[in-house]
């Protein structure tokens, strides 16, 4: 199904407002209830009486859907009130203007009006009006995807209702006993958290809002809260469908079934909430709300096998849309419905804007989209028109009718480029043009279109990629393919360019820049924040070109083949293709890792699979590496390649780690390449030796952690250790705030999941410490003492086949705010880990060894010792991420 189809404001950031929802303005009711009207009896002069009449005329225009006409009346009335010094009435009109601007998509002007109204309310001391205006202003910010600002206006920086700040909308409503205002603020606050993918607080706020609305007997508010709860349940359903898909890829049928069942349960709850919302909307004869809820109802009804209910919702929505006045919300609702004309499947949890409708649904889709285009033209909404034209162009693209597809796409581009608030959609239409050119084999035009798409995307990247954690998987459908498409087109041009030419080198450099930009975008999207941007320099740094003995391998996976690029210290760049489809290559990589992990059973290691991968990834460049006298290899891996230890590849005679020191980094842009200061090495070593149970999940005892921690203390005597009960979040924060540690070593169970919320460490008090929590802690207490140079995580694991989980591992150093991380791909509770770690720290004290070389020496020592520990199961899972010096 579409990914959370109700998320209109979040979709705005992604440029895919094809699935509009019940808008947040519902929290203050529908017209005429929310439209401020002045009290005629309170006026004293002929001028203000005339202004009052203008206000009323504006309300009538607004109710008829003539928003521009309403604005003309209200602007005149506002000028009269201001001239007469009637600030109270002026504040009312400013609120009306803001609502009208919002409905026209002029969000910047809406916010400006709210800010003026808020200032008027403060001057008048009208706290109730102030609270309500803050809530309305929050809704405008939400339409821009600025959810942090929304939460700040509604609750304050504390973000938790009992601790909301005194001047926040929620506290003002409560202190003024404004029950309607409280319902509105709670509902909007719940929506903001939902759109950030924070479902627990979202459901809590929305539930209280619904209960208060029920006490007040207000069906509009009940409908809005019930709809919000349904949307939150759909979000949880989508999250669990994705987890089920990930578990299925890993071959874990039982976990896949568990997640699928959980997802279906959430969908069923969503259906119940939507049906409750419908009952309340119909009771009030609120057609606008009814249409939006019907559209939201379709996907969960389809996925839970309630086909009749879903079809009834489709037909009812189509019928009701014809009765609604023209508006931008109606345009988006039509576009939304177009993408739901065919049944939604259990696996359909991502963006439908780039998917193709079945032939039997395309005729109706063309009819509806043409109506949407005409409607957007009529109301002069260039943003809505851009989306309608672009979606219509995509439909023709799906039908292979490329000339009309391109004409419509170009029209969508022009409208998006003219409207500053439609810039977020521009990259979609540039990308669509690129796909159409590719289909027509116009590669030069396609390349230009993709470059323009990336340029448009980069200008809004910060907002899009951190828009909300609930949007992460849309990234794979709406952002990631643009980077991959551009890289593939550039590589195709390289193939047609003469070897050793300057143009060839430039194109290969451009490919590497595109790959690096993709890696940065992936990390920012995965972690759902902009922390990774803090490490960005003004330009990309070519770390391989510093005259060192380091070579950088970059990989990028396409559907039909994989590209491997090599950057040498002298600036030369080489590339090779692995001519295997993505699914087959993924299977090969997963089999390699599973064979490594089978070392617990198969004591004798067969390097056949390791050699096959070496032949594909490394051997084509053997001569180049030898000629350049390379000693260290740094890998910027893509997708599933992040989940395997490259050091365990085998050339037929020895492992890769026996030839080269090996490190990985998620992005060259994010690597702070400074050598470790060995003068004052100090380790804060923490570990868990006992069995633990966290949120019902059981973790066995780690018998060798004591040996591991004591070994660190022996190597670096100034270190401090915290074991079991002493290893808590509070104690960790205390230590970091009071002492400077160059190295943070954590030996405990940990998991890297396909969502940051599933990426955590187990502390000694049976609690989870997420990587995001750790990052916040390190950044808040470590500024004065200097950054942590190295974060070591042993006994952690990522699942086989889960490339998104391995993305979390790849970015752990960046997210935690440290220069390097030493982390394990799978958990080994064995004395081998203690030996390996102790040998690593011994090497780390040697100023002649880099971090990568210290790890190499430790791994080589285990191999040389022979016996069971020579098996890569025991030494390969520890990988170095980030700065390798």
């Amino acid at each position: 199904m579409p990914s959370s189809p109700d998320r209109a404001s979040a979709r705005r950031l992604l440029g895919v407002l094809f699935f509009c929802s019940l808008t947040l303005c519902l929290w203050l009711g529908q017209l005429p209830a929310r439209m401020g009207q002045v009290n005629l009896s309170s006026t004293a002069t002929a001028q203000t009486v005339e202004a009052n009449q203008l206000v009323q005329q504006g309300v009538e225009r607004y109710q008829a859907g003539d928003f521009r006409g309403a604005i003309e009346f209200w602007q005149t009335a506002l000028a009269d009130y201001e001239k007469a010094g009637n600030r109270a009435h002026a504040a009312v009109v400013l609120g009306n203007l803001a609502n009208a601007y919002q409905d026209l998509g002029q969000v910047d002007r809406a916010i400006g009006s709210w800010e003026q109204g808020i200032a008027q309310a403060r001057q008048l001391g009208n706290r109730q009006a102030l609270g309500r205006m803050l809530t309305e202003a929050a809704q405008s910010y939400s339409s821009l995807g600025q959810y942090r600002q929304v939460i700040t206006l509604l609750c304050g920086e504390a973000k938790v209702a009992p601790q909301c700040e005194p001047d926040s909308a929620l506290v003002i409503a409560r202190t003024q006993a404004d029950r309607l205002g409280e319902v509105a603020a709670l509902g909007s606050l719940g929506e903001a958290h939902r759109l950030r993918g924070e479902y627990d607080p979202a459901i809590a706020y929305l539930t209280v809002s619904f209960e208060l609305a029920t006490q007040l007997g207000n069906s509009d508010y009940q409908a809005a809260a019930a709809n919000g709860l349904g949307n939150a349940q759909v979000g949880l359903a989508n999250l669990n469908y994705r987890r089920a898909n990930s578990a299925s890829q890993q071959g874990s049928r039982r976990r896949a079934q568990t997640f699928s069942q959980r997802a279906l349960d959430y969908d069923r709850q969503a259906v119940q909430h939507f049906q409750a919302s419908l009952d309340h909307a119909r009771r009030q004869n609120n057609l606008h709300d009814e249409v939006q809820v019907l559209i939201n109802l379709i996907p969960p009804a389809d996925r839970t096998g309630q086909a009749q209910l879903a079809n009834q919702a489709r037909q009812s929505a189509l019928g009701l849309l014809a009765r609604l006045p023209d508006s931008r919300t109606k345009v988006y609702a039509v576009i939304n419905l177009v993408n739901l004309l065919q049944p939604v499947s259990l696996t359909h949890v991502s963006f439908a804007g780039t998917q193709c409708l079945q032939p039997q649904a395309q005729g109706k889709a063309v009819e509806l989209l043409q109506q949407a285009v005409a409607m957007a033209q009529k109301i002069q909404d260039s943003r809505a028109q851009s989306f309608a034209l672009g979606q219509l162009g995509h439909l023709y693209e799906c039908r292979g009718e490329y000339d009309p597809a391109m004409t419509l796409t170009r029209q969508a581009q022009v409208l998006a480029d003219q409207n500053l608030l439609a810039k977020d959609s521009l990259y979609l239409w540039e990308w669509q043009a690129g796909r159409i050119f590719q289909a027509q084999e116009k590669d030069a035009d396609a390349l230009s279109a993709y470059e323009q798409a990336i340029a448009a995307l980069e200008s809004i990247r910060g907002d899009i990629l951190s828009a909300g954690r609930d949007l992460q998987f849309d990234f794979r459908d709406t952002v990631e393919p643009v980077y991959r498409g551009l890289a593939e087109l550039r590589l195709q041009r390289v193939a047609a360019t003469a070897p050793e030419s300057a143009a060839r080198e430039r194109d290969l450099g451009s490919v590497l820049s595109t790959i690096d930009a993709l890696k940065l975008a992936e990390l920012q999207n995965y972690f759902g924040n902009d922390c990774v941007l803090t490490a960005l320099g003004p330009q990309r740094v070519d770390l391989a070109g510093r005259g060192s003995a380091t070579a950088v391998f970059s990989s990028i996976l396409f559907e039909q083949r994989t590209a491997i690029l090599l950057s040498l210290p002298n600036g030369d760049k080489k590339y090779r293709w692995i001519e295997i489809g993505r699914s087959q290559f993924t299977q090969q990589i997963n089999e390699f890792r599973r064979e490594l992990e089978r070392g617990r059973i198969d004591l004798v290691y067969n390097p056949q699979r390791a050699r096959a991968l070496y032949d594909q990834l490394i051997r084509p460049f053997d001569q180049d590496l030898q000629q350049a006298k390379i000693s260290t290899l740094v890998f910027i891996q893509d997708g599933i390649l992040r989940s395997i230890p490259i050091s365990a590849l085998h050339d037929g005679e020895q492992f890769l780690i026996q030839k080269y020191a090996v490190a990985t980094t998620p992005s060259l842009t994010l690597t702070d390449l400074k050598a470790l200061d060995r003068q004052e090495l100090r380790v804060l070593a923490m570990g868990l030796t006992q069995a633990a149970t966290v949120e019902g999940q059981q973790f066995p005892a780690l018998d060798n952690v004591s040996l591991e921690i004591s070994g660190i203390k022996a190597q670096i005597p100034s270190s401090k250790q915290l074991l079991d009960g002493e290893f808590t979040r509070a104690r960790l924060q205390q230590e970091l705030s009071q002492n400077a540690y160059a190295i943070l070593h954590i030996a405990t169970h940990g998991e890297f999941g396909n969502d940051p919320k599933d990426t955590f460490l187990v502390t000694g008090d049976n609690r989870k410490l997420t990587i995001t929590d750790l990052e916040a802690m390190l950044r808040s207490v470590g500024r004065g003492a200097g950054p942590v140079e190295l974060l070591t995580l042993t006994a952690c694991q990522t699942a086989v086949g889960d490339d998104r989980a391995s993305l979390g591992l790849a970015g752990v150093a960046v997210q935690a705010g440290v220069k390097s991380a030493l982390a394990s791909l799978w958990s080994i509770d064995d004395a081998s880990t203690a030996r390996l770690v102790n040998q690593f720290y011994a090497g780390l004290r040697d100023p002649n060894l880099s971090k990568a070389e210290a790890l190499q020496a430790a791994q080589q020592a285990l191999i040389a010792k022979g016996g069971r520990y020579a098996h890569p199961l025991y030494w390969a899972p520890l990988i170095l991420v980030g700065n390798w010096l």
Side-chain angles (χ1 to χ4, degrees), residues 704-713 745 747 794 833-834 837-838:
N704 291 285
V705 165
S706 295
L707 179 63
E708 183 178 330
I709 300 297
S710 61
I712 295 171
K713 183 75 173 176
H745 183 104
T794 61
T833 302
V837 167
N838 292 339

Side-chain angles (χ1 to χ4, degrees), residues 361-600:
Q362 291 181 2
K364 184 63 175 178
V366 170
E367 176 188 339
L368 288 171
L369 289 172
Q370 288 174 338
Q371 292 175 10
V373 170
M375 193 189 318
Q377 289 175 329
K378 177 181 176 182
I379 64 175
Q380 301 178 48
D381 189 328
S382 59
R383 178 178 173 75
Q385 188 179 351
S386 175
F387 278 112
L389 286 165
Q391 184 71 344
L392 185 58
H394 173 59
L395 197 146
Y396 281 105
E397 176 195 359
C398 290
R399 294 166 65 165
E401 300 177 26
Y402 297 124
D403 289 340
M406 183 59 74
T407 299
L408 291 162
T409 301
R410 289 302 191 198
Q411 291 173 359
Q413 286 175 317
V414 170
L415 287 168
D417 201 27
Q418 289 176 346
N419 186 346
L420 290 177
L421 290 176
K423 290 289 186 182
D424 55 345
S425 65
L426 179 59
Y427 88 93
L428 283 176
W429 315 137
E430 298 286 5
W431 174 31
Q432 187 162 290
R435 297 196 307 269
I436 295 170
F437 281 131
Q438 274 187 288
Q440 295 175 310
E441 298 183 349
K442 299 178 180 179
D443 291 343
D445 291 331
L447 181 61
S448 176
Y450 268 92
E451 288 173 340
Q452 292 177 55
I454 292 291
L457 184 56
E458 290 289 315
S459 69
I460 57 171
R461 180 165 79 174
D463 287 333
I464 285 183
L465 301 182
S466 59
R469 293 173 187 258
D470 195 30
L471 305 180
Q472 289 169 340
F473 287 84
D474 294 325
F475 171 85
R476 291 191 166 185
D477 300 306
T478 61
V479 177
E480 182 179 319
V482 187
Y483 288 96
R484 294 191 187 279
L486 176 58
E488 190 166 21
L489 283 168
R490 283 175 169 165
L491 282 169
Q492 290 174 0
R493 190 165 71 176
V494 169
T497 307
E500 311 303 330
S501 67
R504 183 187 181 95
E505 288 297 309
R506 284 196 301 271
D507 280 336
L508 284 173
S510 296
V511 172
L512 290 170
S513 296
T514 302
I515 294 173
D516 203 52
L518 171 59
K519 302 312 175 191
L520 174 61
E522 285 180 316
L523 287 175
Q524 188 178 347
N525 174 253
Y526 176 83
F527 289 112
N529 61 42
D530 56 3
C531 289
V532 296
L533 292 178
T534 61
L536 274 174
Q539 59 186 3
R540 181 178 180 275
V541 178
D542 187 358
L543 300 174
R546 295 190 170 193
S548 68
T550 300
V552 179
F553 278 85
S554 301
S555 59
I556 184 163
L557 278 67
F558 303 106
E559 283 305 311
Q560 302 303 321
R561 54 183 179 171
T562 294
I564 306 297
L565 294 91
L566 172 66
S567 299
L568 294 167
N570 63 1
D572 286 351
K573 298 173 180 63
K574 312 287 182 179
Y575 84 102
R576 296 288 188 277
W577 287 104
I578 299 175
E579 300 289 350
I580 299 176
R582 187 167 187 164
S583 59
Q584 183 181 348
F585 193 41
T586 297
Q587 182 180 356
Q588 178 185 348
I589 292 166
N590 285 336
E591 288 173 350
F592 166 63
R593 176 165 160 174
R594 289 192 184 99
E595 186 167 274
L596 292 177
E597 293 194 61
R598 278 197 295 268
R600 295 178 175 90

Side-chain angles (χ1 to χ4, degrees), residues 748-782:
T748 184
H749 290 290
E751 292 187 3
F752 288 86
N754 56 26
D755 186 281
K757 297 174 184 176
D758 301 325
T759 298
F760 62 89
L761 307 172
V762 178
T763 58
D765 53 353
N766 287 355
R767 296 180 182 273
K768 288 183 178 180
L769 175 67
T770 68
I771 292 298
T772 303
D773 292 337
L774 182 61
E775 174 266 329
M777 193 181 304
L778 289 171
R779 292 187 189 276
S780 65
V781 302

Side-chain angles (χ1 to χ4, degrees), residues 328 546 658 762 829:
R328 71 191 306 259
R546 295 190 170 193
Q658 294 175 285
V762 178
D829 176 31

Side-chain angles (χ1 to χ4, degrees), residues 202-258:
I203 290 173
Y205 287 126
L206 289 165
T207 298
V208 176
S209 181
F210 181 82
E211 291 171 350
L212 287 177
T214 302
Q215 293 174 17
L216 296 172
N218 189 304
S219 287
D220 279 337
Y221 293 117
Q222 286 175 292
N227 180 70
L229 286 167
N231 291 334
Q233 299 291 345
V234 166
L236 287 167
N238 289 340
L239 181 61
N240 280 278
Y241 284 125
R242 292 159 186 152
R243 287 171 171 166
N245 183 58
S246 176
S248 179
Q249 291 178 0
Q250 298 162 26
S252 180
R253 184 177 302 176
R254 180 177 299 179
R255 290 180 67 242
Q257 290 175 344
T258 298

Side-chain angles (χ1 to χ4, degrees), residues 244-404:
N245 183 58
S246 176
S248 179
Q249 291 178 0
Q250 298 162 26
S252 180
R253 184 177 302 176
R254 180 177 299 179
R255 290 180 67 242
Q257 290 175 344
T258 298
F259 286 130
S260 293
Q261 185 58 53
R262 193 176 298 168
L264 286 170
D265 290 342
Y266 283 127
D267 265 342
R268 293 188 182 98
Q269 293 176 51
V271 169
Q272 293 176 3
H273 287 303
F274 289 140
Q275 288 179 318
S277 184
L278 275 177
D279 290 342
H280 291 297
R282 286 167 174 166
R283 195 173 300 150
Q284 297 298 113
N285 194 31
N286 191 326
L287 299 185
H288 175 271
D289 295 9
E290 188 177 350
V291 168
Q292 299 292 358
V293 179
L294 284 167
I295 291 173
N296 292 343
L297 172 62
I298 294 170
D302 266 335
R303 294 193 304 207
T304 53
Q306 302 178 70
Q308 183 177 358
L309 178 62
N311 288 331
Q312 288 175 347
R314 287 185 181 91
Q315 295 307 313
S316 297
L318 284 169
L320 290 174
L321 277 171
R323 298 168 57 187
L324 290 177
D326 292 344
S327 68
R328 71 191 306 259
T329 303
K330 181 178 177 180
V331 175
Y332 292 139
V334 170
I335 299 172
N336 184 344
L337 199 53
V338 163
N339 290 281
L340 296 173
L341 288 176
Q342 60 191 28
V344 177
S345 68
L346 287 176
T347 57
H348 187 183
V349 293
S350 57
F351 170 56
T354 56
Q355 298 175 354
C356 291
L357 290 172
Q358 298 169 357
Q360 59 268 30
Q362 291 181 2
K364 184 63 175 178
V366 170
E367 176 188 339
L368 288 171
L369 289 172
Q370 288 174 338
Q371 292 175 10
V373 170
M375 193 189 318
Q377 289 175 329
K378 177 181 176 182
I379 64 175
Q380 301 178 48
D381 189 328
S382 59
R383 178 178 173 75
Q385 188 179 351
S386 175
F387 278 112
L389 286 165
Q391 184 71 344
L392 185 58
H394 173 59
L395 197 146
Y396 281 105
E397 176 195 359
C398 290
R399 294 166 65 165
E401 300 177 26
Y402 297 124
D403 289 340

